[in-house]
Amino acid sequence: MMKTLLLLIGLAFILACAPASFAQDNVKIKAKNDTVVVRDKSKPVRRAIEDWYERNKAAFQAKDVTAVMALRTDDFHTLTPDGKTNTRADMEARTQRLLGMIDHFISQDFQIGTIQVQAGLASADVSQKTVRMQRFPDGSLHKVDARVVQRETWKHTSDGWKLYRVDNIQDGSIFVDDKPYKPTP
């Protein structure tokens, strides 16, 4: 009983003397079997990837292909559901075409799932939804709502986290003027 009381007093002292950032980073201290366990819940990788998304959204909003591609590794690639691999050059050309058709974005929403980190890579399933005003080949302007869930993998580089690979693409849907869009084969 005395040991537990001393442990709790010690914990109270640690928390009282800890810098403000210690508490702000969601560090939890637990007493278990008379031991102190400290778990850092600051989630630095998640914060870095959330920051990456803010920069990615800003680059798309500005329709700046150079800024978009600067957030990707030199060996960036995508693996499509039909087994095709798109290289960084393929994706740069596709991004250029897409941004050339977009008049403006209405919204860009990205929900990052559980991030798994291993050997300098971080991956997560990401739900994406963009709503934009886009010109079609005939010049007409339409509201396009595009959604997809895909696994994204980032590589930690000397310049921070950069997108390295996109795969496991699923649940894609496109709505044009609020109606489901089915491309003609």
Side-chain angles (χ1 to χ4, degrees):
M1 177 74 170
M2 185 64 155
K3 235 180 180 179
T4 303
L5 182 58
L6 287 173
L7 181 62
L8 291 175
I9 291 170
L11 285 173
F13 178 77
I14 289 169
L15 289 174
C17 295
S21 63
F22 188 80
Q24 290 173 348
D25 285 343
N26 296 323
V27 175
K28 291 185 179 179
I29 299 177
K30 294 182 177 183
K32 196 180 231 181
N33 301 331
D34 292 329
T35 60
V36 175
V37 177
V38 178
R39 293 198 177 132
D40 183 356
K41 297 294 187 179
S42 63
K43 302 183 185 204
V45 173
R46 177 170 287 280
R47 282 202 308 244
I49 291 176
E50 287 171 349
D51 177 62
W52 180 92
Y53 264 107
E54 290 306 312
R55 289 180 285 134
N56 191 61
K57 287 177 5 181
F60 271 93
Q61 188 75 30
K63 300 196 298 183
D64 184 343
V65 176
T66 302
V68 169
M69 297 312 293
L71 295 169
R72 282 132 182 90
T73 61
D74 290 340
D75 55 351
F76 169 69
H77 59 284
T78 65
L79 304 172
T80 62
D82 62 2
K84 182 180 179 201
T85 299
N86 292 306
T87 65
R88 185 181 201 282
D90 296 333
M91 294 310 296
E92 184 170 3
R94 183 172 187 259
T95 301
Q96 183 74 46
R97 281 191 308 275
L98 174 67
L99 291 177
M101 295 184 294
I102 294 174
D103 183 73
H104 66 276
F105 283 93
I106 296 169
S107 65
Q108 298 180 64
D109 181 53
F110 301 90
Q111 299 298 317
I112 306 165
T114 301
I115 298 173
Q116 298 179 358
V117 180
Q118 181 178 349
L121 297 176
S123 63
D125 286 339
V126 178
S127 298
Q128 300 182 10
K129 178 183 178 189
T130 62
V131 182
R132 59 199 183 245
M133 295 304 294
Q134 180 175 322
R135 295 221 176 265
F136 278 28
D138 66 1
S140 60
L141 189 62
H142 297 273
K143 178 180 159 190
V144 176
D145 177 336
R147 304 167 189 209
V148 69
V149 177
Q150 59 194 24
R151 182 174 45 229
E152 298 187 3
T153 302
W154 299 267
K155 187 184 285 186
H156 194 261
T157 72
S158 59
D159 295 325
W161 292 96
K162 291 190 175 193
L163 191 59
Y164 162 65
R165 180 180 59 231
V166 173
D167 63 2
N168 198 28
I169 301 166
Q170 55 191 326
D171 299 333
S173 62
I174 299 174
F175 294 84
V176 174
D177 299 327
D178 300 318
K179 296 177 187 145
Y181 176 73
K182 301 287 184 208
T184 52

